[in-house]
Amino acid sequence: YILRGLYMNRLHNVPPLEALEREHSGKPPLPEVSFQELAALEGRTHALVTGFMVHFDFLQHAFMGVDLTIVRHYDTTQDNPGLHPLPGTRAHVVHPRVLVTHPRAKMHAKLMLVRSPHRLRIVILSANPARHEWSQMAQVLWYRDFPSFASEPRDATETDRSCTSSQSESGNHFLISLCTFLNAMDCPDDWIHAIARYNLSESADVRLVMSVPGVFPCTGGDHYGLDALCRVVDEWHRADSRPAPTHVDYFSSSIGWLTQWKDEFEAA
């Protein structure tokens, strides 16, 4: 079911990915989409992008005329945590405070949110928001658009409570994970409150496992990273009553394919 919403990026000056994938695997290809197409949500007013490597000119060109928030990795010995405006633009850069708590922590999660008064686009990426990663490197992404509620926006505190509540069977796990990540990354409060205006009920068939840099105690570690992945896969496997072995397809960034990370991922 997870294949619904999966895409690959459209590369420049290379053979189409669709032809390569069909040639080597014989499987139906994933559709292709460009970063510009993902950014071009009709009526867009705000965007939020996270990544390890960020090309500011690339993002500013894609989101011209939009209030843009960029959450990025930074050098804790030279840059200050917090929210910083980019002079002469409508963009702000967030340096998450969580990085300061561990000297080797890396802000590596890749997420893009684009919103208009009527729709919220959520994109989970393997690519950083950098021009060469989108034009010259094969990447995979998942995205889905969610409509706004027909009625007046709900009170922001309702979403705050749902975002910080425990992940119960009746809760929206995707929404909780998304808001927990945005809070951990020190994203502006208006993004947390804005999500209350959109109906994310169609995300119930998707689990979002976010990477948050740092070291976590055993009581809270399963909210993020490999521990969260283990929990999600275990819950899915228990709920799957079919006698056939579970089959998992996965895609990773180039860093994620390195042996030390791949082995840990496969063990999870």
Side-chain angles (χ1 to χ4, degrees):
Y1 64 85
I2 192 65
L3 287 176
R4 185 165 74 94
L6 273 182
Y7 293 79
M8 297 196 78
N9 61 316
R10 183 176 297 114
L11 298 179
H12 296 171
N13 302 320
V14 296
L17 284 175
E18 293 185 359
L20 293 175
E21 185 172 340
R22 188 184 299 272
E23 177 183 349
H24 289 96
S25 69
K27 297 180 180 179
L30 293 176
E32 295 179 1
V33 64
S34 69
F35 188 89
Q36 289 72 22
E37 289 170 329
L38 291 169
L41 180 68
E42 184 177 0
R44 63 186 185 171
T45 58
H46 296 75
L48 182 146
V49 183
T50 77
F52 176 76
M53 178 193 303
V54 174
H55 287 179
F56 292 104
D57 60 336
F58 176 68
L59 287 178
Q60 288 176 312
H61 183 266
F63 291 108
M64 195 173 298
V66 174
D67 289 334
L68 176 63
T69 301
I70 303 168
V71 185
R72 66 159 189 161
H73 180 76
Y74 65 103
D75 187 343
T76 58
T77 66
Q78 298 182 19
D79 300 314
N80 294 321
L83 183 68
H84 307 278
L86 281 181
T89 75
R90 298 174 63 176
H92 289 76
V93 176
V94 177
H95 294 159
R97 287 172 296 174
V98 69
L99 291 181
V100 181
T101 64
H102 195 279
R104 292 184 297 174
K106 297 288 189 292
M107 212 316 282
H108 211 267
K110 302 167 184 69
L111 169 74
M112 183 165 77
L113 306 177
V114 188
R115 75 179 198 249
S116 74
H118 306 293
R119 196 160 296 275
L120 172 68
R121 175 166 294 172
I122 300 178
V123 192
I124 312 299
L125 310 149
S126 69
N128 284 298
R131 182 176 286 104
H132 71 281
E133 294 206 12
W134 280 88
S135 62
Q136 300 298 323
M137 300 171 65
Q139 308 283 354
V140 69
L141 63 103
W142 175 93
Y143 91 90
R144 190 174 295 178
D145 291 346
F146 298 93
S148 59
F149 284 103
S151 59
E152 289 295 313
R154 297 175 297 171
D155 180 47
T157 57
E158 179 182 344
T159 296
D160 291 341
R161 285 196 298 270
S162 69
C163 289
T164 56
S165 63
S166 61
Q167 296 195 30
S168 64
E169 287 300 318
S170 59
N172 186 321
H173 299 277
F174 187 95
L175 172 64
I176 294 169
S177 296
L178 176 62
C179 292
T180 300
F181 173 76
L182 294 178
N183 278 316
M185 292 291 98
D186 294 328
C187 292
D189 290 341
D190 68 296
W191 268 103
I192 302 293
H193 298 162
I195 290 176
R197 306 191 197 110
Y198 302 94
N199 183 358
L200 269 65
S201 60
E202 289 191 8
S203 66
D205 63 337
V206 177
R207 290 296 186 94
L208 180 62
V209 177
M210 300 304 301
S211 169
V212 172
V215 177
F216 303 97
C218 293
T219 55
D222 65 349
H223 289 300
Y224 308 112
L226 289 174
D227 289 337
L229 178 65
C230 287
R231 175 177 50 77
V232 167
V233 172
D234 185 57
E235 292 173 358
W236 173 55
H237 188 67
R238 289 201 310 268
D240 188 354
S241 59
R242 296 174 299 175
T246 297
H247 181 78
V248 176
D249 290 317
Y250 75 92
F251 305 83
S252 77
S253 65
S254 55
I255 292 296
W257 185 250
L258 295 179
T259 302
Q260 63 266 36
W261 305 119
K262 185 167 72 72
D263 291 347
E264 290 187 17
F265 177 84
E266 291 176 348

